Amino acid sequence: MPPDAPIAPTPRQLDWQRLGIGAFFHFGINTFHGQEWSDGTLPAASFDPTRLDADQWVAAARAAGARYAIITAKHHDGFCLWPTKTTDYSVASSPWKGGEGDVVGELARACRAAGLGLGVYLSPWDRHAPEYADPTAYTELYAEQLRELCTWYGPLMELWFDGAGSDGYTYDWSATMAVARQHQPDAMVFNMGDPTIRWVGNEDGLAADPVEYVVDHTQMSQYTVVTTEFAEALYLPPECDVSIRRGWFWHPDDEPKSLEHLLAIHYRSVGLGANLLLNLPPDDRGLIPDADAARVAEFGAEVARRFGTPAATAELAGAGGGWTADFGKPVAFDHVRLREDLADGQRVRRHVVRAGDRVLAEGLTVGAGRIHLTEPVTASALTVEIEGEGATLESVEVFETGVRELPRVPDGYRAPTDRPDA
Ligand code: FUL
């Protein structure tokens, strides 16, 4: 339920929402064993990418339209991709670069060179560390791991805390958050601790209308129905994580999703005002496979073709519920993108877009950016009716793409939160 008074985002949250797309890199000991969740006993000696090239990962991320990248610095198996001093279960014990390598460091450098933000995934659940059996000892270890990550690699824009496997475990989040606050106060915090962004609630990359930025709880994981309730409602915009493949980690017999599927995910995440975090798993050579790199390039190019350059951006006039979007001349289009002014909070509860008397599009959330496919139409102005106390439109743009049908999410991928008509 929306709170009575809108809750405003921080400028950092707004910046993050404007980034739109991020790339996720699941890479680690699992990559070399065809596993998703190994149990912390696989030998560090098996981590040995022959051609690891973080610039190639970043090039794929950029081709996908990503503006930030998040790496599984430590997944549930406890294997660390940086030469941590907290455990010997890390790259330092592997043959890769004679134990002198640092995957997080290489990605940090590549991101910096390409102007991408860097984030780290540090799994709270740790199946290797003996300390995990003792929450007090583990809190210390975990805080120290986060401290290393927060102080060795320059600015981080996101700290990704995955709830999987943690049910029933009591973490001392105050210690962990103190580290984050001290060293990376601007980083977004995903879903646990003192979160500033939240999980969308499925791993299919799909939001559903309405997309609420203000919530009083979040879901923790795909595998349980556990939720975290907050004492008060918080502004927590969602991030839609999904892998380009079935697996989060690379498997030799897996393959990338179709272009249509990826485009459908885009409409259902970015097109609904949520961020998209697209996982691109590097293979056992340490490279994004050619097929995946080619697919994201197609995806990024098609998104740019559709929504890169508007056919027109409207001059807006209005206030309250009734707005006129004037293009100054007749414009042909088949998509419309609306944005609301979020500086004081999310306020639009419902919207209707009309050309004359014809309803072209309607829905609930506008938020950071709402994309509608419309019938092909030529119009010099639109009217936009919005409901919501104090709601203000920021922009109305139209696009001429030649597209007549929304791409479809294949059966078997539809998230439980889907409404049948969404
Ligand atoms: C889940 C994990 O269990 C998966 O392995 C993956 O990391 C995904 C992003 O989050 O909760």
Side-chain angles (χ1 to χ4, degrees):
M1 281 294 287
D4 298 337
I7 295 176
T10 64
R12 291 278 83 79
Q13 286 174 310
L14 279 184
D15 290 347
W16 178 85
Q17 288 191 271
R18 288 194 189 102
L19 296 177
I21 303 181
F24 217 174
F25 295 119
H26 273 66
F27 186 62
I29 199 87
N30 290 334
T31 309
F32 299 85
H33 296 270
Q35 294 203 32
E36 284 288 310
W37 278 15
S38 57
D39 65 3
T41 61
L42 293 175
S46 52
F47 182 89
D48 197 11
T50 46
R51 293 176 50 197
L52 189 139
D53 179 358
D55 293 311
Q56 189 252 7
W57 305 8
V58 165
R62 292 187 65 191
R67 313 268 304 278
Y68 60 98
I70 298 180
I71 171 117
T72 51
K74 180 184 82 168
H75 203 252
H76 309 324
D77 47 67
F79 184 80
C80 296
L81 290 183
W82 79 105
T84 175
K85 298 194 169 68
T86 63
T87 173
D88 56 11
Y89 198 46
S90 85
V91 282
S93 305
S94 79
W96 178 57
K97 297 200 164 177
E100 299 291 315
D102 179 351
V103 182
V104 178
E106 297 212 10
L107 182 61
R109 186 204 42 74
C111 282
R112 227 181 352 260
L116 245 63
L118 175 71
V120 291
Y121 169 120
L122 184 67
S123 173
W125 184 29
D126 188 322
R127 305 177 80 185
H128 178 86
E131 292 87 344
Y132 194 72
D134 170 1
T136 311
Y138 184 66
T139 291
E140 229 172 89
L141 175 93
Y142 191 69
E144 182 53 20
Q145 292 185 334
L146 188 65
R147 199 193 60 73
E148 290 179 350
L149 291 170
C150 286
T151 56
W152 290 7
Y153 301 107
L156 299 178
M157 48 73 61
E158 188 166 331
L159 307 174
W160 221 89
F161 298 122
D162 185 338
S166 289
D167 308 318
Y169 195 92
T170 309
Y171 295 98
D172 179 358
W173 280 104
S174 61
T176 310
M177 286 298 102
V179 171
R181 253 193 312 275
Q182 183 183 354
H183 299 295
Q184 297 286 346
D186 290 342
M188 291 292 108
V189 176
F190 179 84
N191 226 46
M192 295 175 93
D194 297 333
T196 55
I197 55 175
R198 70 180 170 91
W199 185 47
V200 74
N202 63 75
E203 294 186 350
D204 297 326
L206 304 174
D209 194 23
V211 177
E212 303 288 2
Y213 297 163
V214 175
V215 293
D216 57 12
H217 69 279
T218 58
Q219 283 170 263
M220 291 325 283
S221 112
Q222 176 93 331
Y223 312 100
T224 62
V225 290
V226 175
T227 58
T228 301
E229 311 282 335
F230 307 120
E232 55 187 23
L234 300 171
Y235 188 95
L236 294 184
E239 186 174 49
C240 303
D241 59 323
V242 62
S243 184
I244 190 168
R245 295 173 158 230
R246 282 202 178 263
W248 287 101
F249 286 89
W250 174 81
H251 302 267
D253 55 352
D254 203 352
E255 59 183 16
K257 292 179 166 55
S258 67
L259 175 61
E260 177 173 11
H261 191 168
L262 294 178
L263 290 169
I265 288 170
H266 185 274
Y267 279 91
R268 291 288 305 274
S269 52
V270 175
L272 281 171
N275 277 33
L276 168 62
L277 184 62
L278 179 62
N279 181 58
L280 309 174
D283 62 18
D284 58 355
R285 300 169 304 167
L287 295 173
I288 308 294
D290 293 349
D292 304 45
R295 185 54 43 79
V296 288
E298 274 180 282
F299 166 71
E302 182 57 17
V303 170
R305 187 190 74 76
R306 292 187 191 193
F307 309 123
T309 312
T313 301
E315 198 67 52
L316 288 177
W323 292 74
T324 307
D326 189 353
F327 302 117
K329 58 174 191 315
V331 186
F333 64 91
D334 49 35
H335 281 76
V336 57
R337 179 167 66 199
L338 312 172
R339 296 188 200 276
E340 71 175 284
D341 182 346
L342 292 167
D344 294 331
Q346 182 183 30
R347 296 176 184 235
V348 176
R349 308 301 318 163
R350 188 169 164 270
H351 63 280
V352 185
V353 182
R354 294 189 177 85
D357 290 342
R358 265 152 67 207
V359 172
L360 293 184
E362 58 190 320
L364 306 177
T365 296
V366 168
R370 176 65 187 259
I371 297 174
H372 287 285
L373 172 73
T374 68
E375 60 182 276
V377 68
T378 299
S380 51
L382 299 173
T383 58
V384 185
E385 185 187 311
I386 52 178
E387 281 174 23
E389 183 70 29
T392 308
L393 282 181
E394 187 177 277
S395 64
V396 174
E397 298 157 301
V398 289
F399 301 86
E400 167 77 322
T401 70
V403 171
R404 297 290 172 260
E405 262 180 36
L406 281 178
R408 291 174 56 81
V409 176
D411 292 344
Y413 280 97
R414 295 188 73 79
T417 47
D418 269 8
R419 297 183 335 202
D421 59 340

